[in-house]
Amino acid sequence: MDLIVFDLDGTLLNKKSQVSEHTRDTLRQLRERDIAYTVATGRTLQSARNLLDGQGFTLPHIYKNGVLIWRPESDLYSHSNLLTRSEIGTILEAFLAVAVTPFIFTVEPSNRHVVYHLPMQNDTERRLAKIFSQDRGIEILPVTEMPSGAEITNISALGAREAIESVADLVQTQEHLMAYAGTAIEGESLYWIDIHHSAASKGGAVSKLKQDLGVSRVICFGDSDNDLSMFAMADESYAPSNAKDEVRAVATAVIGHHNEDGISRFLRERFDLAMH
């Protein structure tokens, strides 16, 4: 059995962070042909759920870059490689030193996602909190309310490039941590960073699914550095033309742009689906 694994942002989704009509129809055709597919994303379940409902994503989903696997049939997570308070203490201090507010993502009982934050310092951070809360349906609370036993999946932040890169440099010195960072909005100086346990990766989670599902071959699609571990273990890996240079360099092939249904059009050709 082949298993297709999609990254979401910058890959399966268009620039409006939506599944286009063309892609919806392609997913329907894959289902009709019994071709298996799932998702591996840095997002949370809450922020992806409305996008994926009704699109046939019935196999386990990979969230938070491999920290969590969600199983739709039971509505349960399997957790791996969560962060401890001691592991993140130095990083939180580093954010404070460069005047950037970190957002701490947790998983709590009943699959509830909560994001805890230190005091926000500017309008950019307040807008980010609003996106988490209103657009992605995640509860936002001050860090003073974080329970001592909170299961921490990752830390994210948005700020000036120099500030974010200084935190990323510190993460590289921490044995149990890993960071992904990059430009947040094209043409602006804002940078994002996402930090999680170094043992968590999309590639590791996809390997587990491959074993659990008895998959013979993995075909994956992604655009950013958090997809490289997935590319390394896949039998075929494809990067849209908008992908980062280092991702395009190791892909089996570079295909069409994510905002031009590049993945969807490739799949129709690759699996000989209807081309309309």
Side-chain angles (χ1 to χ4, degrees):
M1 180 177 87
D2 286 344
L3 176 65
I4 300 171
V5 184
F6 300 114
D7 170 51
L8 290 180
D9 296 282
T11 304
L12 190 68
L13 305 181
N14 61 22
K15 67 179 181 181
K16 295 180 179 179
S17 294
Q18 297 171 340
V19 179
S20 73
E21 198 58 45
H22 191 280
T23 299
R24 287 173 183 267
D25 188 58
T26 299
L27 294 173
R28 177 188 59 78
Q29 292 188 58
L30 290 174
R31 294 195 296 279
E32 289 175 355
R33 291 272 299 275
D34 290 325
I35 298 169
Y37 58 86
T38 190
V39 59
T41 177
R43 286 179 177 240
T44 63
L45 169 61
Q46 275 88 341
S47 68
R49 193 168 216 160
N50 289 341
L51 297 169
L52 302 181
D53 276 354
Q55 305 306 316
F57 285 87
T58 57
L59 294 176
H61 302 188
I62 295 166
Y63 289 110
K64 302 314 301 179
N65 291 320
V67 175
L68 300 171
I69 296 177
W70 178 67
R71 302 180 185 276
E73 75 283 356
S74 61
D75 192 27
L76 294 175
Y77 285 113
S78 52
H79 303 186
S80 64
N81 307 309
L82 296 162
L83 294 171
T84 66
R85 282 178 177 247
S86 62
E87 286 170 336
I88 68 171
T90 302
I91 301 304
L92 297 183
E93 291 173 6
F95 277 118
L96 290 173
V98 295
V100 171
T101 298
F103 292 85
I104 304 167
F105 286 71
T106 67
V107 176
E108 304 195 3
S110 302
N111 291 349
R112 175 171 166 251
H113 281 280
V114 181
V115 175
Y116 297 94
H117 63 87
L118 275 68
M120 288 180 273
Q121 302 174 69
N122 54 56
D123 288 341
T124 295
E125 293 171 350
R126 284 184 278 273
R127 282 198 305 270
L128 182 60
K130 189 175 180 180
I131 289 171
F132 290 148
S133 176
Q134 294 187 0
D135 297 353
R136 302 192 175 183
I138 305 171
E139 191 172 0
I140 309 290
L141 294 171
V143 73
T144 52
E145 297 185 32
M146 187 167 78
S148 58
E151 296 189 316
I152 302 166
T153 61
N154 63 294
I155 303 170
S156 292
L158 192 65
R161 177 172 182 168
E162 184 177 341
I164 294 299
E165 288 184 341
S166 71
V167 176
D169 289 342
L170 176 62
V171 170
Q172 289 185 343
T173 70
Q174 304 296 302
E175 181 183 359
H176 300 296
L177 299 178
M178 183 168 186
Y180 298 116
T183 304
I185 303 170
E186 294 299 331
E188 295 191 20
S189 58
L190 285 176
Y191 251 52
W192 60 268
I193 188 169
D194 189 74
I195 301 165
H196 59 75
H197 198 288
S198 57
S201 70
K202 288 187 181 184
V206 173
S207 294
K208 177 162 179 52
L209 285 193
K210 182 178 180 181
Q211 181 180 11
D212 291 350
L213 300 173
V215 171
S216 54
R217 301 178 77 259
V218 171
I219 303 168
C220 69
F221 298 84
D223 71 309
S224 196
D225 47 1
N226 61 342
D227 298 308
L228 291 173
S229 62
M230 185 166 66
F231 276 36
M233 59 74 59
D235 298 278
E236 298 175 37
S237 55
Y238 298 98
S241 60
N242 53 281
K244 288 186 174 182
D245 290 346
E246 59 267 35
V247 179
R248 287 187 281 126
V250 298
T252 303
V254 177
I255 59 177
H257 196 283
H258 83 107
N259 197 46
E260 298 169 356
D261 294 315
I263 284 74
S264 178
R265 294 181 188 282
F266 172 81
L267 286 168
R268 294 191 185 196
E269 184 174 344
R270 170 69 173 73
F271 289 99
D272 195 25
L273 305 176
M275 300 299 287
H276 62 272

